[in-house]
Amino acid sequence: MIGITDASLSFGTLQMFAGLSVDVPQGRTTAILGPNGRGKTTLLRSILGFQSLDRGRRHTPHIVGYVPQHSASQAKLAGLEVVTMGRAARLGLFGQPGPDDTEAARAALVQVGACHLADLRYDRMSGGQRQMILIARALATGSDALVLDEPTSALDLGNQARTLSLIAGLGRARERAILFTTHDPNHALAVADDVVLMMPGGAVVHGPVAQMVTPDLMAELYGVPMRWVRPDGPNGRIAMLPEFTGKDALCA
Amino acid sequence: MSMALNQTSRRAQLSLRLGVFPAMAAGLALAMLYAISAGRFDVPWIRVVEILWTRAWDLSGSPETMDERIVELVRLPRVLLAAVSGAALAVGGAALQGVFRNPLVSPQILGISQGGAFGGALAILLGYHGVVLLGMSFVFGMFALVLVGFLSRINGRTEMLTVILAGMIVGAFFAALVSVLQFIADPNTSLPAIVYWLMGSFSTATWARLGLAVPGMAFGLAIVWLLRYRLNLLALDEAEARSLGVNPDRERWFIFVAATLMTGTSVAVAGVIGWIGLVVPHAARLIVGEDHRRLIPASALLGATYLVLIDTFARNLTAAEIPLGVLTALIGAPVFAVLLRQHFKRTGAA
């Protein structure tokens, strides 16, 4: 549905990935996981076609519902107007959005539970509210592919939970191919079916989340010891935390 | 209670926005009527209406009395040329500001006006007028814009501060080239022609000149009008815009060509009239907001009104006509300073 095949990319002597094939089929959710600066966003941009590849090919639909890490839009436009922009690909060069497009935008706002933001100006919204609007805009495209670049990175804990719940809900519907980047293995555990790990040294590995998100692989990925946390009780959900030894903070 | 208030406020906003365009159009009509009426030979406004009304029903006739000749042959083409130039310069500025995502950008800040001025001055020096002068203004205006685009693109990104700096560099370069042309021009013939043309004036407006200017400006205005929703999308980040099915590289150039066509044509027929493309869209944004579907027509109406009034003051304030560029700069420069301060205060950086 969405991905790249046998793709390679390097910037000068820095190799981002080589011979990489990633495919996110319809109905699956994939997380790209890795620390800062490892090339998660570059891989995402390569899959979307915003970054040209040295070698390989991409198989991405013409229209993708894309949620950027930060929207450049500081426009004093109402939330509904921003969501309606998701219909642009259907309008043609000289087209203007009509009642059908406004209806589709309203439906997308209903889907993300953000009807109350329809008339609020985008530049006056909080980070969490803006994220809901951008996800609604991505859904309004009507694409079967949804791509989110670090959708939780600038959000507080409550908004992170709301955004992840929304992505999980969209994933459970099994209607779309969903791809997102994140720093946090717990986000992948909560939402994704598969993960792509941006390992040290330019290696990229991928597979089902249950096999890939393990303390050993995460320790190698982030360079710190990791352990499972298992809350008491039968309904306790497992999570992964780094070991806080305090040693790294001390000067030698 | 709060929902009811919210709905009331939305209705008030809607009625304000629906009513604002007829009000602007009425303002333009009144300004044009005043401009045709006012002057050294005063024609009462009721007489202006009578002359125009009679002519509208008998286009084949020719003016006979003095006031008919003044209204039909002198003031009407001048006022129409000022109106269409004002609309074109303001819409060009609003469109460029949308594409560059920066309310401080204007044809003058980007060096387009100075490039066009060089092209026009070169044409005068070489003894050309009319279509050749217009064509050379457009070509060199476009060349200036391409240079700014090239200079300001660093590592594939175009930062706003570098755009403004590149515009100033290119503008200064073409201003220097204009000085070189003035230096080598014949002081008895081409030099006065260049100097007077550069200061900006509609005093030589005729129906023929209006006919020369309208196609280019109307074409530019039509392109921007058709792309008015696209401008909302071009104001987004490049990756965002691409994901929504926009081709920013291609569509930006439509806007650049349209803006340069409008600016180049305006420079060709009336010289360099700066600051309209900066001041007017800012005022329009305060009234109708940032949605280009409203901002473009509002800029056109306000730009036309503004330049018609400025031109009327320029020819009536003193015994000798004041160059338009002087008046627009006296208003525009302080407004630009205020805008610049607000921009840096808001963003904290460039």
PDB file of all heavy atoms in Angstrom, chain B residues 194-227:
ATOM      1  N   ILE B 194      13.615  59.966 -18.639  1.00  0.00           N
ATOM      2  CA  ILE B 194      13.811  58.855 -17.692  1.00  0.00           C
ATOM      3  C   ILE B 194      13.490  59.306 -16.268  1.00  0.00           C
ATOM      4  O   ILE B 194      12.763  58.633 -15.530  1.00  0.00           O
ATOM      5  CB  ILE B 194      15.277  58.319 -17.772  1.00  0.00           C
ATOM      6  CG1 ILE B 194      15.513  57.608 -19.103  1.00  0.00           C
ATOM      7  CG2 ILE B 194      15.567  57.362 -16.612  1.00  0.00           C
ATOM      8  CD1 ILE B 194      16.960  57.194 -19.336  1.00  0.00           C
ATOM      9  N   VAL B 195      14.049  60.460 -15.878  1.00  0.00           N
ATOM     10  CA  VAL B 195      13.872  60.949 -14.510  1.00  0.00           C
ATOM     11  C   VAL B 195      12.390  61.169 -14.197  1.00  0.00           C
ATOM     12  O   VAL B 195      11.876  60.714 -13.169  1.00  0.00           O
ATOM     13  CB  VAL B 195      14.678  62.257 -14.281  1.00  0.00           C
ATOM     14  CG1 VAL B 195      14.300  62.902 -12.947  1.00  0.00           C
ATOM     15  CG2 VAL B 195      16.168  61.963 -14.311  1.00  0.00           C
ATOM     16  N   TYR B 196      11.672  61.834 -15.115  1.00  0.00           N
ATOM     17  CA  TYR B 196      10.263  62.119 -14.874  1.00  0.00           C
ATOM     18  C   TYR B 196       9.439  60.832 -14.831  1.00  0.00           C
ATOM     19  O   TYR B 196       8.563  60.662 -13.977  1.00  0.00           O
ATOM     20  CB  TYR B 196       9.736  63.068 -15.969  1.00  0.00           C
ATOM     21  CG  TYR B 196       8.390  63.630 -15.622  1.00  0.00           C
ATOM     22  CD1 TYR B 196       8.241  64.471 -14.511  1.00  0.00           C
ATOM     23  CD2 TYR B 196       7.267  63.324 -16.365  1.00  0.00           C
ATOM     24  CE1 TYR B 196       7.007  64.969 -14.160  1.00  0.00           C
ATOM     25  CE2 TYR B 196       6.027  63.820 -16.027  1.00  0.00           C
ATOM     26  CZ  TYR B 196       5.902  64.635 -14.920  1.00  0.00           C
ATOM     27  OH  TYR B 196       4.679  65.127 -14.568  1.00  0.00           O
ATOM     28  N   TRP B 197       9.788  59.917 -15.731  1.00  0.00           N
ATOM     29  CA  TRP B 197       9.053  58.637 -15.774  1.00  0.00           C
ATOM     30  C   TRP B 197       9.276  57.845 -14.480  1.00  0.00           C
ATOM     31  O   TRP B 197       8.351  57.255 -13.931  1.00  0.00           O
ATOM     32  CB  TRP B 197       9.526  57.846 -16.998  1.00  0.00           C
ATOM     33  CG  TRP B 197       9.013  56.445 -17.055  1.00  0.00           C
ATOM     34  CD1 TRP B 197       7.750  56.045 -17.373  1.00  0.00           C
ATOM     35  CD2 TRP B 197       9.740  55.255 -16.778  1.00  0.00           C
ATOM     36  NE1 TRP B 197       7.646  54.683 -17.315  1.00  0.00           N
ATOM     37  CE2 TRP B 197       8.851  54.170 -16.955  1.00  0.00           C
ATOM     38  CE3 TRP B 197      11.056  54.989 -16.401  1.00  0.00           C
ATOM     39  CZ2 TRP B 197       9.235  52.849 -16.761  1.00  0.00           C
ATOM     40  CZ3 TRP B 197      11.441  53.672 -16.219  1.00  0.00           C
ATOM     41  CH2 TRP B 197      10.547  52.623 -16.389  1.00  0.00           C
ATOM     42  N   LEU B 198      10.536  57.876 -13.978  1.00  0.00           N
ATOM     43  CA  LEU B 198      10.862  57.097 -12.782  1.00  0.00           C
ATOM     44  C   LEU B 198      10.137  57.593 -11.534  1.00  0.00           C
ATOM     45  O   LEU B 198       9.841  56.812 -10.624  1.00  0.00           O
ATOM     46  CB  LEU B 198      12.373  57.128 -12.511  1.00  0.00           C
ATOM     47  CG  LEU B 198      13.227  56.199 -13.357  1.00  0.00           C
ATOM     48  CD1 LEU B 198      14.700  56.429 -13.063  1.00  0.00           C
ATOM     49  CD2 LEU B 198      12.864  54.739 -13.114  1.00  0.00           C
ATOM     50  N   MET B 199       9.873  58.898 -11.488  1.00  0.00           N
ATOM     51  CA  MET B 199       9.246  59.447 -10.277  1.00  0.00           C
ATOM     52  C   MET B 199       7.800  58.979 -10.135  1.00  0.00           C
ATOM     53  O   MET B 199       7.234  59.044  -9.052  1.00  0.00           O
ATOM     54  CB  MET B 199       9.305  60.978 -10.303  1.00  0.00           C
ATOM     55  CG  MET B 199      10.703  61.482  -9.995  1.00  0.00           C
ATOM     56  SD  MET B 199      10.752  63.233  -9.610  1.00  0.00           S
ATOM     57  CE  MET B 199      10.285  63.971 -11.146  1.00  0.00           C
ATOM     58  N   GLY B 200       7.231  58.519 -11.190  1.00  0.00           N
ATOM     59  CA  GLY B 200       5.882  57.959 -11.120  1.00  0.00           C
ATOM     60  C   GLY B 200       4.816  59.012 -11.281  1.00  0.00           C
ATOM     61  O   GLY B 200       4.721  59.948 -10.488  1.00  0.00           O
ATOM     62  N   SER B 201       4.001  58.869 -12.319  1.00  0.00           N
ATOM     63  CA  SER B 201       2.929  59.831 -12.538  1.00  0.00           C
ATOM     64  C   SER B 201       1.918  59.257 -13.537  1.00  0.00           C
ATOM     65  O   SER B 201       2.280  58.469 -14.407  1.00  0.00           O
ATOM     66  CB  SER B 201       3.507  61.125 -13.090  1.00  0.00           C
ATOM     67  OG  SER B 201       2.461  61.973 -13.498  1.00  0.00           O
ATOM     68  N   PHE B 202       0.672  59.672 -13.358  1.00  0.00           N
ATOM     69  CA  PHE B 202      -0.347  59.309 -14.334  1.00  0.00           C
ATOM     70  C   PHE B 202      -0.682  60.503 -15.240  1.00  0.00           C
ATOM     71  O   PHE B 202      -1.694  60.494 -15.922  1.00  0.00           O
ATOM     72  CB  PHE B 202      -1.622  58.839 -13.624  1.00  0.00           C
ATOM     73  CG  PHE B 202      -1.454  57.504 -12.944  1.00  0.00           C
ATOM     74  CD1 PHE B 202      -1.415  57.410 -11.561  1.00  0.00           C
ATOM     75  CD2 PHE B 202      -1.331  56.348 -13.691  1.00  0.00           C
ATOM     76  CE1 PHE B 202      -1.256  56.193 -10.940  1.00  0.00           C
ATOM     77  CE2 PHE B 202      -1.180  55.113 -13.073  1.00  0.00           C
ATOM     78  CZ  PHE B 202      -1.138  55.039 -11.698  1.00  0.00           C
ATOM     79  N   SER B 203       0.181  61.541 -15.215  1.00  0.00           N
ATOM     80  CA  SER B 203      -0.154  62.771 -15.925  1.00  0.00           C
ATOM     81  C   SER B 203      -0.215  62.562 -17.435  1.00  0.00           C
ATOM     82  O   SER B 203      -0.841  63.336 -18.144  1.00  0.00           O
ATOM     83  CB  SER B 203       0.846  63.868 -15.582  1.00  0.00           C
ATOM     84  OG  SER B 203       2.126  63.469 -16.009  1.00  0.00           O
ATOM     85  N   THR B 204       0.462  61.528 -17.932  1.00  0.00           N
ATOM     86  CA  THR B 204       0.442  61.294 -19.385  1.00  0.00           C
ATOM     87  C   THR B 204      -0.586  60.238 -19.771  1.00  0.00           C
ATOM     88  O   THR B 204      -0.529  59.674 -20.862  1.00  0.00           O
ATOM     89  CB  THR B 204       1.838  60.850 -19.871  1.00  0.00           C
ATOM     90  OG1 THR B 204       2.212  59.701 -19.104  1.00  0.00           O
ATOM     91  CG2 THR B 204       2.865  61.939 -19.715  1.00  0.00           C
ATOM     92  N   ALA B 205      -1.521  59.965 -18.844  1.00  0.00           N
ATOM     93  CA  ALA B 205      -2.518  58.915 -19.117  1.00  0.00           C
ATOM     94  C   ALA B 205      -3.416  59.304 -20.287  1.00  0.00           C
ATOM     95  O   ALA B 205      -3.893  60.434 -20.366  1.00  0.00           O
ATOM     96  CB  ALA B 205      -3.361  58.682 -17.877  1.00  0.00           C
ATOM     97  N   THR B 206      -3.596  58.376 -21.190  1.00  0.00           N
ATOM     98  CA  THR B 206      -4.526  58.560 -22.306  1.00  0.00           C
ATOM     99  C   THR B 206      -5.294  57.247 -22.468  1.00  0.00           C
ATOM    100  O   THR B 206      -4.942  56.239 -21.862  1.00  0.00           O
ATOM    101  CB  THR B 206      -3.760  58.829 -23.616  1.00  0.00           C
ATOM    102  OG1 THR B 206      -2.875  57.713 -23.834  1.00  0.00           O
ATOM    103  CG2 THR B 206      -2.970  60.113 -23.572  1.00  0.00           C
ATOM    104  N   TRP B 207      -6.322  57.278 -23.316  1.00  0.00           N
ATOM    105  CA  TRP B 207      -7.052  56.038 -23.570  1.00  0.00           C
ATOM    106  C   TRP B 207      -6.134  54.996 -24.210  1.00  0.00           C
ATOM    107  O   TRP B 207      -6.248  53.806 -23.945  1.00  0.00           O
ATOM    108  CB  TRP B 207      -8.266  56.310 -24.463  1.00  0.00           C
ATOM    109  CG  TRP B 207      -9.389  56.971 -23.705  1.00  0.00           C
ATOM    110  CD1 TRP B 207      -9.767  58.274 -23.784  1.00  0.00           C
ATOM    111  CD2 TRP B 207     -10.257  56.355 -22.735  1.00  0.00           C
ATOM    112  NE1 TRP B 207     -10.811  58.527 -22.917  1.00  0.00           N
ATOM    113  CE2 TRP B 207     -11.133  57.365 -22.275  1.00  0.00           C
ATOM    114  CE3 TRP B 207     -10.363  55.069 -22.210  1.00  0.00           C
ATOM    115  CZ2 TRP B 207     -12.114  57.123 -21.317  1.00  0.00           C
ATOM    116  CZ3 TRP B 207     -11.345  54.824 -21.259  1.00  0.00           C
ATOM    117  CH2 TRP B 207     -12.204  55.840 -20.823  1.00  0.00           C
ATOM    118  N   ALA B 208      -5.204  55.483 -25.056  1.00  0.00           N
ATOM    119  CA  ALA B 208      -4.277  54.553 -25.723  1.00  0.00           C
ATOM    120  C   ALA B 208      -3.377  53.869 -24.698  1.00  0.00           C
ATOM    121  O   ALA B 208      -3.154  52.665 -24.741  1.00  0.00           O
ATOM    122  CB  ALA B 208      -3.428  55.305 -26.736  1.00  0.00           C
ATOM    123  N   ARG B 209      -2.868  54.655 -23.742  1.00  0.00           N
ATOM    124  CA  ARG B 209      -1.998  54.098 -22.700  1.00  0.00           C
ATOM    125  C   ARG B 209      -2.784  53.134 -21.808  1.00  0.00           C
ATOM    126  O   ARG B 209      -2.256  52.096 -21.382  1.00  0.00           O
ATOM    127  CB  ARG B 209      -1.405  55.243 -21.876  1.00  0.00           C
ATOM    128  CG  ARG B 209      -0.286  54.812 -20.969  1.00  0.00           C
ATOM    129  CD  ARG B 209       0.480  55.996 -20.487  1.00  0.00           C
ATOM    130  NE  ARG B 209       1.452  56.413 -21.485  1.00  0.00           N
ATOM    131  CZ  ARG B 209       2.695  56.791 -21.199  1.00  0.00           C
ATOM    132  NH1 ARG B 209       3.095  56.809 -19.970  1.00  0.00           N
ATOM    133  NH2 ARG B 209       3.521  57.145 -22.143  1.00  0.00           N
ATOM    134  N   LEU B 210      -4.031  53.502 -21.536  1.00  0.00           N
ATOM    135  CA  LEU B 210      -4.884  52.611 -20.740  1.00  0.00           C
ATOM    136  C   LEU B 210      -5.076  51.279 -21.482  1.00  0.00           C
ATOM    137  O   LEU B 210      -4.993  50.201 -20.889  1.00  0.00           O
ATOM    138  CB  LEU B 210      -6.239  53.280 -20.489  1.00  0.00           C
ATOM    139  CG  LEU B 210      -7.226  52.512 -19.608  1.00  0.00           C
ATOM    140  CD1 LEU B 210      -6.729  52.413 -18.177  1.00  0.00           C
ATOM    141  CD2 LEU B 210      -8.602  53.179 -19.610  1.00  0.00           C
ATOM    142  N   GLY B 211      -5.293  51.380 -22.807  1.00  0.00           N
ATOM    143  CA  GLY B 211      -5.460  50.173 -23.616  1.00  0.00           C
ATOM    144  C   GLY B 211      -4.218  49.312 -23.614  1.00  0.00           C
ATOM    145  O   GLY B 211      -4.285  48.088 -23.690  1.00  0.00           O
ATOM    146  N   LEU B 212      -3.054  49.952 -23.493  1.00  0.00           N
ATOM    147  CA  LEU B 212      -1.789  49.223 -23.455  1.00  0.00           C
ATOM    148  C   LEU B 212      -1.624  48.488 -22.116  1.00  0.00           C
ATOM    149  O   LEU B 212      -1.109  47.376 -22.055  1.00  0.00           O
ATOM    150  CB  LEU B 212      -0.646  50.235 -23.624  1.00  0.00           C
ATOM    151  CG  LEU B 212       0.739  49.707 -23.935  1.00  0.00           C
ATOM    152  CD1 LEU B 212       0.770  49.163 -25.355  1.00  0.00           C
ATOM    153  CD2 LEU B 212       1.762  50.836 -23.785  1.00  0.00           C
ATOM    154  N   ALA B 213      -2.078  49.151 -21.035  1.00  0.00           N
ATOM    155  CA  ALA B 213      -1.848  48.611 -19.687  1.00  0.00           C
ATOM    156  C   ALA B 213      -2.858  47.542 -19.296  1.00  0.00           C
ATOM    157  O   ALA B 213      -2.512  46.580 -18.606  1.00  0.00           O
ATOM    158  CB  ALA B 213      -1.896  49.747 -18.667  1.00  0.00           C
ATOM    159  N   VAL B 214      -4.104  47.717 -19.727  1.00  0.00           N
ATOM    160  CA  VAL B 214      -5.170  46.848 -19.212  1.00  0.00           C
ATOM    161  C   VAL B 214      -4.964  45.359 -19.508  1.00  0.00           C
ATOM    162  O   VAL B 214      -5.137  44.532 -18.606  1.00  0.00           O
ATOM    163  CB  VAL B 214      -6.562  47.343 -19.705  1.00  0.00           C
ATOM    164  CG1 VAL B 214      -7.628  46.277 -19.559  1.00  0.00           C
ATOM    165  CG2 VAL B 214      -6.961  48.577 -18.908  1.00  0.00           C
ATOM    166  N   PRO B 215      -4.564  44.965 -20.733  1.00  0.00           N
ATOM    167  CA  PRO B 215      -4.459  43.524 -20.974  1.00  0.00           C
ATOM    168  C   PRO B 215      -3.501  42.812 -20.005  1.00  0.00           C
ATOM    169  O   PRO B 215      -3.853  41.784 -19.428  1.00  0.00           O
ATOM    170  CB  PRO B 215      -3.949  43.434 -22.419  1.00  0.00           C
ATOM    171  CG  PRO B 215      -4.364  44.709 -23.047  1.00  0.00           C
ATOM    172  CD  PRO B 215      -4.304  45.737 -21.962  1.00  0.00           C
ATOM    173  N   GLY B 216      -2.290  43.373 -19.825  1.00  0.00           N
ATOM    174  CA  GLY B 216      -1.308  42.748 -18.928  1.00  0.00           C
ATOM    175  C   GLY B 216      -1.802  42.688 -17.500  1.00  0.00           C
ATOM    176  O   GLY B 216      -1.713  41.660 -16.831  1.00  0.00           O
ATOM    177  N   MET B 217      -2.343  43.815 -17.042  1.00  0.00           N
ATOM    178  CA  MET B 217      -2.810  43.861 -15.649  1.00  0.00           C
ATOM    179  C   MET B 217      -4.023  42.956 -15.460  1.00  0.00           C
ATOM    180  O   MET B 217      -4.120  42.242 -14.452  1.00  0.00           O
ATOM    181  CB  MET B 217      -3.164  45.296 -15.269  1.00  0.00           C
ATOM    182  CG  MET B 217      -1.941  46.186 -15.154  1.00  0.00           C
ATOM    183  SD  MET B 217      -2.403  47.801 -14.541  1.00  0.00           S
ATOM    184  CE  MET B 217      -0.871  48.666 -14.658  1.00  0.00           C
ATOM    185  N   ALA B 218      -4.942  42.969 -16.417  1.00  0.00           N
ATOM    186  CA  ALA B 218      -6.146  42.136 -16.299  1.00  0.00           C
ATOM    187  C   ALA B 218      -5.765  40.661 -16.317  1.00  0.00           C
ATOM    188  O   ALA B 218      -6.319  39.851 -15.559  1.00  0.00           O
ATOM    189  CB  ALA B 218      -7.112  42.449 -17.436  1.00  0.00           C
ATOM    190  N   PHE B 219      -4.784  40.309 -17.164  1.00  0.00           N
ATOM    191  CA  PHE B 219      -4.343  38.919 -17.233  1.00  0.00           C
ATOM    192  C   PHE B 219      -3.724  38.494 -15.892  1.00  0.00           C
ATOM    193  O   PHE B 219      -4.038  37.428 -15.350  1.00  0.00           O
ATOM    194  CB  PHE B 219      -3.331  38.766 -18.371  1.00  0.00           C
ATOM    195  CG  PHE B 219      -2.940  37.342 -18.647  1.00  0.00           C
ATOM    196  CD1 PHE B 219      -3.882  36.434 -19.105  1.00  0.00           C
ATOM    197  CD2 PHE B 219      -1.633  36.914 -18.431  1.00  0.00           C
ATOM    198  CE1 PHE B 219      -3.523  35.110 -19.352  1.00  0.00           C
ATOM    199  CE2 PHE B 219      -1.271  35.604 -18.674  1.00  0.00           C
ATOM    200  CZ  PHE B 219      -2.215  34.695 -19.135  1.00  0.00           C
ATOM    201  N   GLY B 220      -2.858  39.372 -15.343  1.00  0.00           N
ATOM    202  CA  GLY B 220      -2.241  39.076 -14.039  1.00  0.00           C
ATOM    203  C   GLY B 220      -3.281  38.961 -12.941  1.00  0.00           C
ATOM    204  O   GLY B 220      -3.255  38.033 -12.127  1.00  0.00           O
ATOM    205  N   LEU B 221      -4.221  39.915 -12.932  1.00  0.00           N
ATOM    206  CA  LEU B 221      -5.293  39.886 -11.916  1.00  0.00           C
ATOM    207  C   LEU B 221      -6.130  38.613 -12.045  1.00  0.00           C
ATOM    208  O   LEU B 221      -6.483  37.986 -11.043  1.00  0.00           O
ATOM    209  CB  LEU B 221      -6.202  41.109 -12.060  1.00  0.00           C
ATOM    210  CG  LEU B 221      -5.656  42.433 -11.513  1.00  0.00           C
ATOM    211  CD1 LEU B 221      -6.507  43.598 -12.000  1.00  0.00           C
ATOM    212  CD2 LEU B 221      -5.625  42.425  -9.987  1.00  0.00           C
ATOM    213  N   ALA B 222      -6.406  38.220 -13.296  1.00  0.00           N
ATOM    214  CA  ALA B 222      -7.229  37.023 -13.513  1.00  0.00           C
ATOM    215  C   ALA B 222      -6.513  35.777 -13.003  1.00  0.00           C
ATOM    216  O   ALA B 222      -7.139  34.901 -12.367  1.00  0.00           O
ATOM    217  CB  ALA B 222      -7.548  36.882 -15.005  1.00  0.00           C
ATOM    218  N   ILE B 223      -5.200  35.671 -13.257  1.00  0.00           N
ATOM    219  CA  ILE B 223      -4.452  34.490 -12.792  1.00  0.00           C
ATOM    220  C   ILE B 223      -4.518  34.406 -11.265  1.00  0.00           C
ATOM    221  O   ILE B 223      -4.813  33.354 -10.688  1.00  0.00           O
ATOM    222  CB  ILE B 223      -2.975  34.541 -13.261  1.00  0.00           C
ATOM    223  CG1 ILE B 223      -2.908  34.349 -14.778  1.00  0.00           C
ATOM    224  CG2 ILE B 223      -2.148  33.456 -12.570  1.00  0.00           C
ATOM    225  CD1 ILE B 223      -1.509  34.467 -15.345  1.00  0.00           C
ATOM    226  N   VAL B 224      -4.240  35.535 -10.598  1.00  0.00           N
ATOM    227  CA  VAL B 224      -4.238  35.519  -9.129  1.00  0.00           C
ATOM    228  C   VAL B 224      -5.652  35.235  -8.604  1.00  0.00           C
ATOM    229  O   VAL B 224      -5.826  34.485  -7.636  1.00  0.00           O
ATOM    230  CB  VAL B 224      -3.690  36.851  -8.560  1.00  0.00           C
ATOM    231  CG1 VAL B 224      -3.755  36.847  -7.046  1.00  0.00           C
ATOM    232  CG2 VAL B 224      -2.256  37.058  -9.001  1.00  0.00           C
ATOM    233  N   TRP B 225      -6.668  35.809  -9.248  1.00  0.00           N
ATOM    234  CA  TRP B 225      -8.056  35.559  -8.825  1.00  0.00           C
ATOM    235  C   TRP B 225      -8.380  34.067  -8.936  1.00  0.00           C
ATOM    236  O   TRP B 225      -8.962  33.474  -8.035  1.00  0.00           O
ATOM    237  CB  TRP B 225      -9.016  36.405  -9.675  1.00  0.00           C
ATOM    238  CG  TRP B 225     -10.448  36.030  -9.547  1.00  0.00           C
ATOM    239  CD1 TRP B 225     -11.204  35.338 -10.449  1.00  0.00           C
ATOM    240  CD2 TRP B 225     -11.314  36.291  -8.430  1.00  0.00           C
ATOM    241  NE1 TRP B 225     -12.480  35.164  -9.965  1.00  0.00           N
ATOM    242  CE2 TRP B 225     -12.575  35.731  -8.731  1.00  0.00           C
ATOM    243  CE3 TRP B 225     -11.138  36.928  -7.210  1.00  0.00           C
ATOM    244  CZ2 TRP B 225     -13.654  35.805  -7.867  1.00  0.00           C
ATOM    245  CZ3 TRP B 225     -12.224  37.007  -6.341  1.00  0.00           C
ATOM    246  CH2 TRP B 225     -13.451  36.455  -6.667  1.00  0.00           C
ATOM    247  N   LEU B 226      -7.983  33.457 -10.059  1.00  0.00           N
ATOM    248  CA  LEU B 226      -8.273  32.032 -10.248  1.00  0.00           C
ATOM    249  C   LEU B 226      -7.520  31.169  -9.236  1.00  0.00           C
ATOM    250  O   LEU B 226      -8.002  30.112  -8.837  1.00  0.00           O
ATOM    251  CB  LEU B 226      -7.892  31.603 -11.672  1.00  0.00           C
ATOM    252  CG  LEU B 226      -8.820  32.110 -12.777  1.00  0.00           C
ATOM    253  CD1 LEU B 226      -8.226  31.826 -14.147  1.00  0.00           C
ATOM    254  CD2 LEU B 226     -10.199  31.460 -12.654  1.00  0.00           C
ATOM    255  N   LEU B 227      -6.336  31.634  -8.827  1.00  0.00           N
ATOM    256  CA  LEU B 227      -5.512  30.838  -7.900  1.00  0.00           C
ATOM    257  C   LEU B 227      -5.713  31.260  -6.442  1.00  0.00           C
ATOM    258  O   LEU B 227      -4.898  30.921  -5.587  1.00  0.00           O
ATOM    259  CB  LEU B 227      -4.028  30.975  -8.279  1.00  0.00           C
ATOM    260  CG  LEU B 227      -3.599  30.301  -9.585  1.00  0.00           C
ATOM    261  CD1 LEU B 227      -2.181  30.702  -9.951  1.00  0.00           C
ATOM    262  CD2 LEU B 227      -3.689  28.787  -9.465  1.00  0.00           C
TER     263      LEU B 227
END
